PDB file of all heavy atoms in Angstrom:
ATOM      1  N   ASP X 148       2.469  77.662 -19.008  1.00 86.00           N
ATOM      2  CA  ASP X 148       3.570  77.231 -18.152  1.00 86.00           C
ATOM      3  C   ASP X 148       4.208  75.930 -18.629  1.00 86.00           C
ATOM      4  O   ASP X 148       5.053  75.352 -17.926  1.00 86.00           O
ATOM      5  CB  ASP X 148       3.072  77.077 -16.706  1.00 86.00           C
ATOM      6  CG  ASP X 148       2.652  78.423 -16.125  1.00 86.00           C
ATOM      7  OD1 ASP X 148       3.273  79.437 -16.498  1.00 86.00           O
ATOM      8  OD2 ASP X 148       1.705  78.470 -15.325  1.00 86.00           O
ATOM      9  N   GLY X 149       3.770  75.435 -19.770  1.00 87.00           N
ATOM     10  CA  GLY X 149       4.401  74.259 -20.355  1.00 87.00           C
ATOM     11  C   GLY X 149       3.802  72.921 -19.934  1.00 87.00           C
ATOM     12  O   GLY X 149       4.388  71.875 -20.203  1.00 87.00           O
ATOM     13  N   TYR X 150       2.642  72.950 -19.284  1.00 93.00           N
ATOM     14  CA  TYR X 150       2.021  71.689 -18.862  1.00 93.00           C
ATOM     15  C   TYR X 150       0.892  71.312 -19.812  1.00 93.00           C
ATOM     16  O   TYR X 150       0.083  72.164 -20.186  1.00 93.00           O
ATOM     17  CB  TYR X 150       1.438  71.823 -17.452  1.00 93.00           C
ATOM     18  CG  TYR X 150       2.458  72.163 -16.401  1.00 93.00           C
ATOM     19  CD1 TYR X 150       2.564  73.463 -15.893  1.00 93.00           C
ATOM     20  CD2 TYR X 150       3.331  71.197 -15.901  1.00 93.00           C
ATOM     21  CE1 TYR X 150       3.507  73.785 -14.933  1.00 93.00           C
ATOM     22  CE2 TYR X 150       4.279  71.521 -14.950  1.00 93.00           C
ATOM     23  CZ  TYR X 150       4.366  72.811 -14.464  1.00 93.00           C
ATOM     24  OH  TYR X 150       5.307  73.117 -13.519  1.00 93.00           O
ATOM     25  N   THR X 151       0.823  70.044 -20.181  1.00 94.00           N
ATOM     26  CA  THR X 151      -0.320  69.584 -20.971  1.00 94.00           C
ATOM     27  C   THR X 151      -1.430  69.170 -20.003  1.00 94.00           C
ATOM     28  O   THR X 151      -1.185  68.952 -18.806  1.00 94.00           O
ATOM     29  CB  THR X 151       0.043  68.367 -21.842  1.00 94.00           C
ATOM     30  OG1 THR X 151       0.351  67.263 -20.973  1.00 94.00           O
ATOM     31  CG2 THR X 151       1.242  68.647 -22.735  1.00 94.00           C
ATOM     32  N   ALA X 152      -2.631  69.030 -20.541  1.00 95.00           N
ATOM     33  CA  ALA X 152      -3.760  68.601 -19.697  1.00 95.00           C
ATOM     34  C   ALA X 152      -3.487  67.199 -19.126  1.00 95.00           C
ATOM     35  O   ALA X 152      -3.890  66.890 -18.003  1.00 95.00           O
ATOM     36  CB  ALA X 152      -5.038  68.621 -20.516  1.00 95.00           C
ATOM     37  N   LEU X 153      -2.803  66.376 -19.898  1.00 95.00           N
ATOM     38  CA  LEU X 153      -2.478  65.031 -19.418  1.00 95.00           C
ATOM     39  C   LEU X 153      -1.473  65.094 -18.259  1.00 95.00           C
ATOM     40  O   LEU X 153      -1.573  64.326 -17.292  1.00 95.00           O
ATOM     41  CB  LEU X 153      -1.903  64.197 -20.573  1.00 95.00           C
ATOM     42  CG  LEU X 153      -2.028  62.687 -20.445  1.00 95.00           C
ATOM     43  CD1 LEU X 153      -3.481  62.251 -20.362  1.00 95.00           C
ATOM     44  CD2 LEU X 153      -1.366  61.989 -21.612  1.00 95.00           C
ATOM     45  N   ASP X 154      -0.509  66.021 -18.352  1.00 95.00           N
ATOM     46  CA  ASP X 154       0.442  66.209 -17.240  1.00 95.00           C
ATOM     47  C   ASP X 154      -0.327  66.470 -15.946  1.00 95.00           C
ATOM     48  O   ASP X 154      -0.026  65.898 -14.894  1.00 95.00           O
ATOM     49  CB  ASP X 154       1.340  67.443 -17.479  1.00 95.00           C
ATOM     50  CG  ASP X 154       2.377  67.216 -18.566  1.00 95.00           C
ATOM     51  OD1 ASP X 154       2.661  66.059 -18.872  1.00 95.00           O
ATOM     52  OD2 ASP X 154       2.889  68.223 -19.095  1.00 95.00           O
ATOM     53  N   LEU X 155      -1.329  67.366 -16.051  1.00 95.00           N
ATOM     54  CA  LEU X 155      -2.052  67.766 -14.840  1.00 95.00           C
ATOM     55  C   LEU X 155      -2.829  66.587 -14.241  1.00 95.00           C
ATOM     56  O   LEU X 155      -2.912  66.454 -13.018  1.00 95.00           O
ATOM     57  CB  LEU X 155      -2.989  68.949 -15.147  1.00 95.00           C
ATOM     58  CG  LEU X 155      -2.271  70.204 -15.686  1.00 95.00           C
ATOM     59  CD1 LEU X 155      -3.256  71.336 -15.932  1.00 95.00           C
ATOM     60  CD2 LEU X 155      -1.169  70.675 -14.734  1.00 95.00           C
ATOM     61  N   ILE X 156      -3.354  65.726 -15.115  1.00 96.00           N
ATOM     62  CA  ILE X 156      -4.046  64.531 -14.606  1.00 96.00           C
ATOM     63  C   ILE X 156      -3.041  63.609 -13.904  1.00 96.00           C
ATOM     64  O   ILE X 156      -3.298  63.066 -12.833  1.00 96.00           O
ATOM     65  CB  ILE X 156      -4.764  63.782 -15.753  1.00 96.00           C
ATOM     66  CG1 ILE X 156      -5.942  64.638 -16.246  1.00 96.00           C
ATOM     67  CG2 ILE X 156      -5.233  62.404 -15.307  1.00 96.00           C
ATOM     68  CD1 ILE X 156      -6.703  64.054 -17.417  1.00 96.00           C
ATOM     69  N   VAL X 157      -1.879  63.461 -14.523  1.00 96.00           N
ATOM     70  CA  VAL X 157      -0.840  62.597 -13.925  1.00 96.00           C
ATOM     71  C   VAL X 157      -0.443  63.131 -12.540  1.00 96.00           C
ATOM     72  O   VAL X 157      -0.379  62.378 -11.563  1.00 96.00           O
ATOM     73  CB  VAL X 157       0.392  62.493 -14.859  1.00 96.00           C
ATOM     74  CG1 VAL X 157       1.574  61.854 -14.146  1.00 96.00           C
ATOM     75  CG2 VAL X 157       0.049  61.695 -16.106  1.00 96.00           C
ATOM     76  N   TYR X 158      -0.203  64.456 -12.441  1.00 95.00           N
ATOM     77  CA  TYR X 158       0.216  65.041 -11.156  1.00 95.00           C
ATOM     78  C   TYR X 158      -0.885  64.864 -10.118  1.00 95.00           C
ATOM     79  O   TYR X 158      -0.618  64.571  -8.948  1.00 95.00           O
ATOM     80  CB  TYR X 158       0.549  66.529 -11.297  1.00 95.00           C
ATOM     81  CG  TYR X 158       1.618  66.825 -12.327  1.00 95.00           C
ATOM     82  CD1 TYR X 158       1.705  68.089 -12.906  1.00 95.00           C
ATOM     83  CD2 TYR X 158       2.528  65.854 -12.735  1.00 95.00           C
ATOM     84  CE1 TYR X 158       2.678  68.376 -13.861  1.00 95.00           C
ATOM     85  CE2 TYR X 158       3.484  66.144 -13.693  1.00 95.00           C
ATOM     86  CZ  TYR X 158       3.553  67.392 -14.252  1.00 95.00           C
ATOM     87  OH  TYR X 158       4.510  67.666 -15.210  1.00 95.00           O
ATOM     88  N   ARG X 159      -2.135  65.065 -10.577  1.00 95.00           N
ATOM     89  CA  ARG X 159      -3.275  64.917  -9.653  1.00 95.00           C
ATOM     90  C   ARG X 159      -3.300  63.483  -9.098  1.00 95.00           C
ATOM     91  O   ARG X 159      -3.504  63.291  -7.902  1.00 95.00           O
ATOM     92  CB  ARG X 159      -4.552  65.212 -10.455  1.00 95.00           C
ATOM     93  CG  ARG X 159      -5.821  65.320  -9.661  1.00 95.00           C
ATOM     94  CD  ARG X 159      -6.842  65.990 -10.598  1.00 95.00           C
ATOM     95  NE  ARG X 159      -8.147  65.384 -10.521  1.00 95.00           N
ATOM     96  CZ  ARG X 159      -9.117  65.611 -11.419  1.00 95.00           C
ATOM     97  NH1 ARG X 159      -8.913  66.405 -12.443  1.00 95.00           N
ATOM     98  NH2 ARG X 159     -10.295  65.044 -11.275  1.00 95.00           N
ATOM     99  N   CYS X 160      -3.100  62.527  -9.964  1.00 96.00           N
ATOM    100  CA  CYS X 160      -3.149  61.124  -9.514  1.00 96.00           C
ATOM    101  C   CYS X 160      -1.930  60.770  -8.654  1.00 96.00           C
ATOM    102  O   CYS X 160      -2.027  59.917  -7.777  1.00 96.00           O
ATOM    103  CB  CYS X 160      -3.229  60.189 -10.722  1.00 96.00           C
ATOM    104  SG  CYS X 160      -4.823  60.279 -11.543  1.00 96.00           S
ATOM    105  N   ARG X 161      -0.808  61.419  -8.915  1.00 95.00           N
ATOM    106  CA  ARG X 161       0.382  61.128  -8.097  1.00 95.00           C
ATOM    107  C   ARG X 161       0.217  61.648  -6.673  1.00 95.00           C
ATOM    108  O   ARG X 161       0.805  61.118  -5.732  1.00 95.00           O
ATOM    109  CB  ARG X 161       1.616  61.778  -8.714  1.00 95.00           C
ATOM    110  CG  ARG X 161       2.267  60.953  -9.810  1.00 95.00           C
ATOM    111  CD  ARG X 161       3.538  61.651 -10.279  1.00 95.00           C
ATOM    112  NE  ARG X 161       4.075  61.040 -11.480  1.00 95.00           N
ATOM    113  CZ  ARG X 161       4.823  61.675 -12.364  1.00 95.00           C
ATOM    114  NH1 ARG X 161       5.110  62.955 -12.196  1.00 95.00           N
ATOM    115  NH2 ARG X 161       5.297  61.049 -13.430  1.00 95.00           N
ATOM    116  N   THR X 162      -0.536  62.727  -6.544  1.00 95.00           N
ATOM    117  CA  THR X 162      -0.614  63.374  -5.217  1.00 95.00           C
ATOM    118  C   THR X 162      -1.930  63.096  -4.504  1.00 95.00           C
ATOM    119  O   THR X 162      -2.081  63.444  -3.344  1.00 95.00           O
ATOM    120  CB  THR X 162      -0.445  64.902  -5.354  1.00 95.00           C
ATOM    121  OG1 THR X 162      -1.364  65.386  -6.335  1.00 95.00           O
ATOM    122  CG2 THR X 162       0.971  65.269  -5.765  1.00 95.00           C
ATOM    123  N   ASP X 163      -2.888  62.484  -5.192  1.00 96.00           N
ATOM    124  CA  ASP X 163      -4.194  62.248  -4.574  1.00 96.00           C
ATOM    125  C   ASP X 163      -4.631  60.815  -4.906  1.00 96.00           C
ATOM    126  O   ASP X 163      -5.039  60.525  -6.038  1.00 96.00           O
ATOM    127  CB  ASP X 163      -5.202  63.275  -5.113  1.00 96.00           C
ATOM    128  CG  ASP X 163      -6.622  62.993  -4.651  1.00 96.00           C
ATOM    129  OD1 ASP X 163      -6.793  62.239  -3.671  1.00 96.00           O
ATOM    130  OD2 ASP X 163      -7.563  63.523  -5.277  1.00 96.00           O
TER     131      ASP X 163
END
Side-chain angles (χ1 to χ4, degrees):
Chain X
D148 295 327
Y150 300 103
T151 65
L153 204 61
D154 287 340
L155 301 181
I156 291 177
V157 168
Y158 303 157
R159 189 165 138 194
C160 289
R161 276 184 190 154
T162 52
D163 173 18

